[in-house]
Amino acid sequence: MLGLPKGEVFLIPWTVEWEKEFLLEKERIEEVIGNKILSVHHIGSTSIKDLSSKPIIDIAIVIQSFQDGTDCVVPLEKLSYAYKGPDLLPDRHYFNKGEPRTHQIHMYQSDNRYLLEQLAFRDYLRINDEARVQYENLKQELSLVNSKNKHKYANDKTEFVRYILDKIKLQSN
């Protein structure tokens, strides 16, 4: 299953179909804006094996210059993405697709702090089963109490994400 109706929060168990869907979408995106892209990453919970998630594929696109993002709007609209602008989320161009929403693009300039944190968090949970299970338990609990409030659901995960990012920084020193 893929797609989350507007205003709802629920999780479903991880499926290999999410990885397949990411690869298909990545190919479509590269066909229309490949000349602007430095790299494309599957991010968010759907990118972490065995982690229940909201059924939305999150995609990080890395571009050389932040201004390049505006050149990508029309081609991505042809793939049914809606451009939400550069100000909805910090330091990125944000796009979403579908109703119910099936895909989100977070377009970052290379070396963006938010991008690097997304990738570090994803990579840590991919190799640390204990942290992945803790995060899943938190997400399950929060999805039940915030089933109609996606912003509160997201904000209530922040402390755990910060804890993991701090742990990663300590390990790298």
Side-chain angles (χ1 to χ4, degrees):
M1 180 193 157
L2 196 58
L4 187 70
K6 192 172 189 133
E8 291 187 32
V9 176
F10 61 83
L11 307 178
I12 64 172
W14 183 87
T15 172
V16 71
E17 296 304 316
W18 290 340
E19 183 60 31
K20 292 176 184 174
E21 180 60 33
F22 163 74
L23 293 171
L24 287 170
E25 198 67 11
K26 177 183 176 187
E27 190 175 301
R28 290 180 194 116
I29 291 166
E30 289 174 337
E31 285 176 12
V32 298
I33 60 168
N35 61 326
K36 298 288 183 186
I37 297 173
L38 298 178
S39 59
V40 180
H41 303 275
H42 189 183
I43 59 171
S45 294
T46 60
S47 71
I48 302 165
K49 188 175 189 273
D50 297 327
L51 180 61
S52 293
S53 177
K54 296 181 298 181
I56 300 170
I57 305 298
D58 281 291
I59 301 167
I61 296 177
V62 183
I63 52 180
Q64 184 66 43
S65 162
F66 194 74
Q67 290 305 105
D68 289 343
T70 56
D71 297 337
C72 299
V73 172
V74 171
L76 289 173
E77 286 176 341
K78 290 178 182 171
L79 295 179
S80 300
Y81 281 93
Y83 182 52
K84 302 300 181 178
D87 301 320
L88 187 63
L89 294 167
D91 293 338
R92 74 196 79 176
H93 294 277
Y94 175 74
F95 302 77
N96 64 29
K97 180 178 184 175
E99 185 50 52
R101 191 168 17 129
T102 58
H103 299 77
Q104 300 180 130
I105 292 175
H106 306 263
M107 188 175 287
Y108 301 97
Q109 183 171 317
S110 63
D111 295 327
N112 176 283
R113 175 177 70 96
Y114 297 105
L115 168 67
L116 298 176
E117 288 178 348
Q118 281 272 352
L119 296 175
F121 184 74
R122 177 202 67 188
D123 293 347
Y124 186 84
L125 292 186
R126 281 180 171 176
I127 62 171
N128 189 307
D129 288 340
E130 182 180 342
R132 179 185 45 77
V133 169
Q134 288 174 332
Y135 189 52
E136 180 165 44
N137 290 339
L138 174 65
K139 287 168 46 99
Q140 293 284 6
E141 178 185 319
L142 294 175
S143 71
L144 294 175
V145 297
N146 298 305
S147 65
K148 299 292 183 196
N149 189 337
K150 70 179 183 177
H151 299 293
K152 182 153 176 38
Y153 168 80
N155 288 339
D156 288 354
K157 295 185 302 179
T158 302
E159 186 177 329
F160 182 85
V161 173
R162 282 279 139 228
Y163 167 75
I164 295 298
L165 291 173
D166 289 345
K167 200 171 185 177
I168 293 168
K169 286 177 191 168
L170 283 174
Q171 290 175 353
S172 66
N173 289 335

